[in-house]
Amino acid sequence: MPKINDFVVRFANVNGTGSASANYLFAKSIFRMGIPVSPKNIFPSNIQGLPTWYEVRVSERGYLGRREGIDVMVSVNPQSMTEDIRSVLPGGYFIYDSTKPLHEEMIRADITYLGIPFMEKCNEEYTDPRLRQLFKNVMYVGALSALLKIEFDVLQQIIEEQFAGKLKVIAPNIKALQLGIDYVHQNFSYPLDVHLERRDLVGNQILTDGNSACGLGAVYAGATVCAWYPITPSTSVAEGFEMYAEKLRVDEDGKNNYAIVQAEDELAAIGMVIGANWNGARGFTATSGPGVSLMNEFLGLAYFAEIPSVLIDVQRTGPSTGMPTRTQQSDLTLAAYASHGDTKHPMIFPCTPLECFELTAASFDLADIAQTPVMVMTDLDLGMNDHMSAPFTWDDARVYNKGKIMSAEQLNEIGRYGRYLDVDDDGVGHRTIPGVHPTKGAFVARGTSRDEYAVYTEESPAYKRNMDRLTKKWETIKTLVPQPEVFQTKNNSNVGVIFFGTTSQSAVEAADMLTADGVVIDKLRLLAFPFGKAVVDFIAQHETIIVVEQNRDAQMRSLMITELNEDPKKFLSVLNYDGLPITADFIYRSITNQLNPTLATS
């Protein structure tokens, strides 16, 4: 039975050979044909020479999580060929460079082999070794366009857009496409039973990555300071901020109205951010798990001195260096309780580029209102891969909420200024910008114990009052963070599944797979920590809670049990920690294996 607009194509390449642009050309062309698509770049942490894969899921039904099994494998890397052949589903296709013959042990009877002499053809057409390699990649896109029915006009348009201003490059790329097309026309039956048909299912959506969206969100949030230290996979957040700031943060006189500092290390970066925010600017940093580890002491200072700060944590696998170019959600407890002593930090969990944009912008307001560090928790999959997303919009009438900042006039109207006085009974004091008043307000910030007037003291009652006020502020923050997405208006099951971030697309698809089996579960997507009333109610209304997350130690489950004082026996886990994005198949099997005897159906 033909698979139309519902399959997975994987490209097996060598890192550093220029395959990325050709693979993106393939994914983008499907998107331009109005078909939902989800590409994943699986690459090593070295500069070049090791295997790299690019996986494209095509789903007319709009399922955008990663799927198990490969329908069409395009393998141009002898190093990984044995593994690549194993990954093809029975009945699938294996496309390879037949310039050299395959070994007999690589032959499977249940898949179809399509050999195309990519290198031989490119050697005939091009003399420059670099061009031979680059156009070999474009040639396999051309072959796929014939095999899968990708519209040539769409490919040509994308190439013309990509190389606008470089007319000499366009014609050779088109020629390389045609080489692949001609070979398929002359040697194979086409199209395959796995192929594409134009649809109108994309609408006005865009294809973009989460890191760029976070950088743009920071610009629109009014951020003017970014201090950072390069680390995979967060570097492109700062680069995105710089790119957009160059266009949007320039005054009429041509002067830049922003500062980007590549610090000497992560400690210096977060220190600069805290200093900028204390002085009234909106500043942020972007890092990954190792950077958060190094920033712990400064984060404790910002928490205790109550200085707004935003940190974007693009998570990767750990511990230690781990796998720098693989994805995970394993910084949760590190970020939630960063620093020694009793500290707690809000975390925000976007799951799409649009939410990266919107929730990054919202995190600056939250940090200012609550006067505390806020962690935006993305991961490598969301940050560095392209995702379909609704377009970004911004209300120009929107006013930044800077929270409780006292002006010089307000300071004149009061007697003694108390930085840590809780006059509103919400745990949040009133801050001032240094120098706003010649004699009143805050001129220093300390990380040591103090009283309500910021006077240093080691008296136990004063210290306890301060810590109790911070606890009250934490309760206030529960009402300020983004509330969860609940997928049903009424409960349909005694089992509820909770997920967040990049587990979301696969979790929703897995729930649909269970429904097809006659098994109904209720769904909730977390958007933030701490957990508000809606999360508490959802947990209370279900006998069993399944938490889906991408780490080994069930960190989100542990946070719920600890913070909400819940019975651990009520909570089960679906845990994926191999560094690859979680699949709906994996979630479906895990839930079925754990709960099938006890699942309630509607």
Side-chain angles (χ1 to χ4, degrees):
M1 182 176 178
K3 290 184 176 181
I4 300 173
N5 297 343
D6 184 17
F7 53 87
V8 175
V9 179
R10 176 184 273 188
F11 300 88
N13 303 104
V14 179
N15 200 31
T17 57
S19 59
S21 60
N23 296 341
Y24 182 65
L25 169 65
F26 172 81
K28 194 172 184 179
S29 65
I30 299 172
F31 179 73
R32 289 280 183 92
M33 289 175 62
I35 306 165
V37 64
S38 177
K40 308 287 184 190
N41 193 14
I42 304 167
F43 59 101
S45 57
N46 72 324
I47 300 301
Q48 63 181 13
L50 289 181
T52 181
W53 294 270
Y54 189 81
E55 195 171 287
V56 180
R57 182 176 186 185
V58 181
S59 174
E60 186 167 292
R61 293 177 293 173
Y63 290 128
L64 300 178
R66 187 167 164 263
R67 198 206 76 186
E68 294 180 6
I70 307 301
D71 297 289
V72 180
M73 170 64 74
V74 182
S75 178
V76 291
N77 183 8
Q79 296 179 63
S80 64
M81 194 166 285
T82 300
E83 177 185 346
D84 296 333
I85 291 171
R86 279 200 302 264
S87 67
V88 180
L89 290 171
Y93 296 87
F94 185 78
I95 301 170
Y96 66 99
D97 188 345
S98 61
T99 302
K100 294 182 179 179
L102 286 179
H103 294 294
E104 290 184 5
E105 61 268 22
M106 292 184 176
I107 303 301
R108 281 175 51 186
D110 60 345
I111 64 175
T112 299
Y113 290 81
L114 301 175
I116 302 175
F118 295 114
M119 187 53 70
E120 177 184 317
K121 290 292 181 182
C122 287
N123 287 345
E124 293 173 358
E125 296 290 335
Y126 309 102
T127 56
D128 187 305
R130 179 62 177 167
L131 290 181
R132 287 172 172 173
Q133 179 61 59
L134 292 174
F135 289 131
K136 181 180 75 171
N137 301 327
V138 180
M139 183 181 171
Y140 66 60
V141 175
L144 285 172
S145 73
L147 292 168
L148 303 181
K149 290 182 63 176
I150 300 175
E151 297 171 5
F152 183 80
D153 290 347
V154 172
L155 290 168
Q156 182 173 340
Q157 181 185 28
I158 296 171
I159 288 175
E160 290 172 351
E161 291 172 358
Q162 183 176 347
F163 297 108
K166 300 178 181 178
L167 296 180
K168 292 182 179 180
V169 181
I170 294 174
N173 275 275
I174 301 298
K175 179 181 178 181
L177 279 178
Q178 197 63 53
L179 285 174
I181 293 170
D182 291 344
Y183 191 89
V184 168
H185 287 175
Q186 295 163 12
N187 293 276
F188 303 124
S189 297
Y190 62 92
L192 304 180
D193 58 357
V194 174
H195 62 264
L196 301 160
E197 291 182 0
R198 176 174 277 277
R199 296 286 188 267
D200 187 15
L201 301 172
V202 170
N204 66 343
Q205 292 191 80
I206 59 175
L207 201 61
T208 190
D209 65 278
N211 279 358
S212 297
C214 285
L216 184 61
V219 172
Y220 272 83
T224 55
V225 177
C226 173
W228 65 294
Y229 184 78
I231 182 172
T232 301
S234 71
T235 295
S236 53
V237 174
E239 292 173 343
F241 175 79
E242 181 176 23
M243 177 182 68
Y244 292 118
E246 286 176 348
K247 299 176 181 179
L248 303 172
R249 281 266 176 272
V250 180
D251 292 336
E252 292 182 359
D253 60 3
K255 291 183 179 180
N256 292 336
N257 188 21
Y258 63 94
I260 297 178
V261 183
Q262 181 176 324
E264 60 267 35
D265 52 36
E266 286 89 351
L267 285 82
I270 190 65
M272 294 174 189
V273 168
I274 293 169
N277 282 278
W278 181 70
N279 276 284
R282 280 190 159 181
F284 77 102
T285 190
T287 190
S288 192
V292 180
S293 295
L294 291 169
M295 294 176 182
N296 261 233
E297 186 171 0
F298 262 134
L299 288 168
L301 169 65
Y303 170 82
F304 199 56
E306 300 181 65
I307 301 171
S309 303
V310 172
L311 187 156
I312 299 169
D313 179 5
V314 189
Q315 299 168 89
R316 69 189 208 190
T317 58
S320 189
T321 305
M323 294 193 292
T325 57
R326 295 290 187 267
T327 196
Q328 216 165 69
Q329 296 172 316
S330 54
D331 295 349
L332 303 179
T333 52
L334 168 67
Y337 304 122
S339 193
H340 53 277
D342 294 324
T343 56
K344 292 182 182 180
H345 307 293
M347 297 187 293
I348 309 298
F349 306 114
C351 83
T352 65
L354 175 62
E355 287 191 350
C356 285
F357 172 75
E358 292 179 339
L359 295 181
T360 295
S363 70
F364 284 87
D365 277 358
L366 176 60
D368 276 343
I369 295 168
Q371 300 175 20
T372 197
V374 173
M375 316 283 195
V376 180
M377 307 295 289
T378 73
D379 56 33
L380 183 145
D381 179 24
L382 178 55
M384 295 191 70
N385 285 323
D386 288 299
H387 298 262
M388 278 180 48
S389 174
F392 307 162
T393 59
W394 186 264
D395 181 0
D396 289 334
R398 178 172 170 177
V399 177
Y400 303 137
N401 191 335
K402 300 283 284 185
K404 300 177 183 179
I405 300 179
M406 298 192 75
S407 65
E409 292 76 14
Q410 290 172 317
L411 288 169
N412 279 330
E413 292 174 1
I414 64 171
R416 187 183 180 188
Y417 168 67
R419 171 66 181 92
Y420 299 110
L421 280 173
D422 183 13
V423 297
D424 301 312
D425 199 33
D426 59 2
V428 183
H430 288 74
R431 66 187 180 111
T432 63
I433 304 304
V436 70
H437 191 283
T439 59
K440 291 182 179 181
F443 291 84
V444 297
R446 62 169 73 248
T448 50
S449 179
R450 69 279 162 145
D451 65 13
E452 288 79 358
Y453 296 92
V455 177
Y456 169 72
T457 179
E458 293 186 19
E459 293 182 358
S460 296
Y463 171 80
K464 186 175 183 301
R465 288 196 306 272
N466 188 63
M467 295 302 289
D468 289 343
R469 180 183 57 78
L470 290 171
T471 300
K472 182 186 293 184
K473 181 165 76 169
W474 187 248
E475 293 301 313
T476 298
I477 291 172
K478 291 179 181 179
T479 68
L480 299 174
V481 295
Q483 296 306 299
E485 178 182 6
V486 181
F487 286 75
Q488 53 284 321
T489 55
K490 64 171 184 162
N491 295 327
N492 302 303
S493 172
N494 64 354
V495 176
V497 61
I498 294 177
F499 45 87
F500 60 98
T502 51
T503 64
S504 301
Q505 290 90 349
S506 293
V508 170
E509 183 180 358
D512 289 348
M513 294 165 70
L514 288 164
T515 300
D517 288 348
V519 176
V520 176
I521 56 175
D522 295 327
K523 305 184 293 293
L524 179 144
R525 179 169 71 92
L526 289 171
L527 273 79
F529 169 82
F531 311 118
K533 184 178 183 300
V535 178
V536 174
D537 291 345
F538 183 84
I539 293 172
Q541 292 160 2
H542 293 86
E543 294 178 10
T544 301
I545 295 293
I546 308 163
V547 185
V548 182
E549 50 189 314
Q550 299 192 93
N551 57 69
R552 184 197 67 183
D553 294 340
Q555 294 182 27
M556 184 62 78
R557 174 183 180 271
S558 298
L559 284 174
M560 290 181 175
I561 292 169
T562 300
E563 292 294 320
L564 303 178
N565 196 26
E566 290 283 350
D567 182 359
K569 295 178 182 178
K570 182 173 184 173
F571 289 78
L572 298 176
S573 292
V574 174
L575 303 174
N576 175 67
Y577 46 92
D578 62 2
L580 298 176
I582 196 169
T583 66
D585 317 75
F586 178 82
I587 298 171
Y588 167 81
R589 286 195 305 270
S590 298
I591 293 177
T592 300
N593 292 339
Q594 291 187 79
L595 286 181
N596 195 45
T598 60
L599 274 172
T601 60
S602 60

